[in-house]
Amino acid sequence: MDFGISTYGLGNEEISPDLLDRLHDAGFTQIEMFANRPHWDYHDRSLGKNLARWFQANDVAPPFLHLPFFEQKGRGDVRWISALSDNERDRERAIDEIKRALEFTDLQPVAHVVAHLGSPKQRFSPLQFEHAYSLMRHISEFAGVDILIENIGNEISTVERLREFLTLAQLPDIRICYDTGHGVLQGPLPRLAGVGAIHLSDNNGDSDDHLWPFEGKLNWPEFVAELVRSGFEGPMVFEPSSPPDLEPSQAAARRLEDLIAEARSSSIEFAEKYGMESKDDDNDLH
């Protein structure tokens, strides 16, 4: 199983071919580019060309592109980039920033993009579905890329509400990127049927710590059981807050691979071993 890595954990460094070399040297051939400034100044066309040349020169898959959702202006000074803001000018600015990041796809094909809907702790209103639909249309028309929407810590972006949005907006080709760390903070583990990709991180149940898997309190056997039951076959990307390192990534990958192999061997024995109730596979998965 080939796990990917996000540059999220290197957010205090500027992205560069040297940084990508470090990820590649650690054994990763699938990389998610975290497009938040100043980590990645996607306004810099020259930098974009250098990064594209790196992907074309190395034995790696087309990257994933995590679209911008904040900008670090200084220590403690964060400016949110939200196309679902209540302020029209902020929505327009957010779409402009997202398009600037999408210009990278002119230089290098990407496997998919990951988008956030709204900002942390934002409350839900039905009008936001209209703003979300507008954002999806802008991304699709501007770049023609596959889009995944991530569950994040607000009322708009629970898995259940994202599925409601995709159904009402009739957007069957847009899928969900399920973030395990965000999910454990949002409530019980949802069904993963139809999820297109997974971000792997852990936490202690009260904040979005972005720990390596098995370093927090997430119930990984329960997650793996649902992963196998749903038939998930998409990419899984580590998204730790600490700089990626070969040893913890390999340890986490091995433990996940072992759990997945166990669950695939016998779901009943797996459920009994880890104290879980078996689920009826005939239940509606959507």
Side-chain angles (χ1 to χ4, degrees):
M1 187 169 296
D2 189 13
F3 293 93
I5 189 71
S6 170
T7 66
Y8 174 90
L10 295 160
N12 291 328
E13 301 181 43
E14 292 184 6
I15 201 165
S16 67
D18 287 342
L19 183 149
L20 297 178
D21 277 335
R22 286 162 51 195
L23 298 180
H24 194 223
D25 291 344
F28 293 104
T29 59
Q30 182 72 77
I31 297 173
E32 182 170 285
M33 308 278 284
F34 189 64
N36 281 19
R37 299 198 297 166
H39 169 59
W40 177 10
D41 186 3
Y42 47 82
H43 289 207
D44 185 343
R45 187 75 171 179
S46 178
L47 173 60
K49 290 179 179 179
N50 287 337
L51 298 175
R53 279 194 289 267
W54 184 90
F55 280 99
Q56 293 154 17
N58 288 274
D59 183 22
V60 293
F64 308 136
L65 173 58
H66 198 308
L67 297 173
F69 61 93
F70 74 85
E71 182 175 355
Q72 191 79 38
K73 304 292 289 182
R75 180 172 293 183
D77 183 9
V78 173
R79 182 172 67 174
W80 296 106
I81 298 171
S82 174
L84 272 66
S85 170
D86 295 330
N87 183 283
E88 183 178 2
R89 291 187 65 181
D90 287 343
R91 293 197 302 272
E92 292 174 351
R93 183 181 66 83
I95 290 173
D96 286 343
E97 284 296 309
I98 288 168
K99 287 181 176 179
R100 291 296 294 271
L102 285 168
E103 289 176 357
F104 180 70
T105 64
D106 294 334
L107 306 171
Q108 165 63 42
V110 301
H112 65 242
V113 301
V114 177
H116 281 196
L117 296 185
S119 53
K121 299 182 180 180
Q122 188 172 352
R123 303 295 295 273
F124 172 73
S125 72
L127 181 61
Q128 288 159 351
F129 276 0
E130 294 184 24
H131 299 327
Y133 182 82
S134 177
L135 173 62
M136 298 300 103
R137 180 174 55 82
H138 278 290
I139 294 172
S140 182
E141 292 178 356
F142 186 81
V145 291
D146 289 340
I147 305 170
L148 275 65
I149 308 174
E150 183 175 350
N151 62 309
I152 63 172
N154 62 31
E155 292 184 2
I156 307 160
S157 300
T158 64
V159 171
E160 292 77 12
R161 186 147 279 151
L162 292 179
R163 284 180 168 145
E164 178 187 359
F165 163 65
L166 295 175
T167 298
L168 291 174
Q170 298 184 15
L171 296 172
D173 295 331
I174 297 177
R175 295 170 296 165
I176 293 170
C177 175
Y178 180 70
D179 185 294
T180 59
H182 299 165
V184 73
L185 297 173
Q186 291 173 322
L189 178 69
R191 295 294 175 90
L192 298 179
V195 167
I198 292 175
H199 283 166
L200 296 166
S201 71
D202 207 339
N203 59 60
N204 290 308
D206 51 14
S207 63
D208 188 21
D209 303 310
H210 280 268
L211 304 174
W212 286 96
F214 306 102
E215 291 183 350
K217 296 183 177 180
L218 195 149
N219 187 332
W220 290 100
E222 179 189 37
F223 165 75
V224 166
E226 172 56 28
L227 189 80
V228 171
R229 196 195 69 83
S230 68
F232 177 81
E233 295 290 345
M236 291 192 282
V237 178
F238 289 123
E239 199 180 48
S241 59
S242 60
D245 180 81
L246 184 58
E247 185 173 345
S249 64
Q250 283 188 334
R254 283 194 301 269
R255 290 186 67 179
L256 282 170
E257 287 172 343
D258 289 345
L259 285 173
I260 290 169
E262 279 188 74
R264 285 176 174 167
S265 176
S266 173
S267 60
I268 295 175
E269 290 181 7
F270 187 82
E272 290 177 350
K273 178 178 179 179
Y274 294 101
M276 297 178 291
E277 293 183 4
S278 296
K279 293 186 178 180
D280 184 356
D281 286 345
D282 293 331
N283 286 345
D284 181 15
L285 302 183
H286 300 281

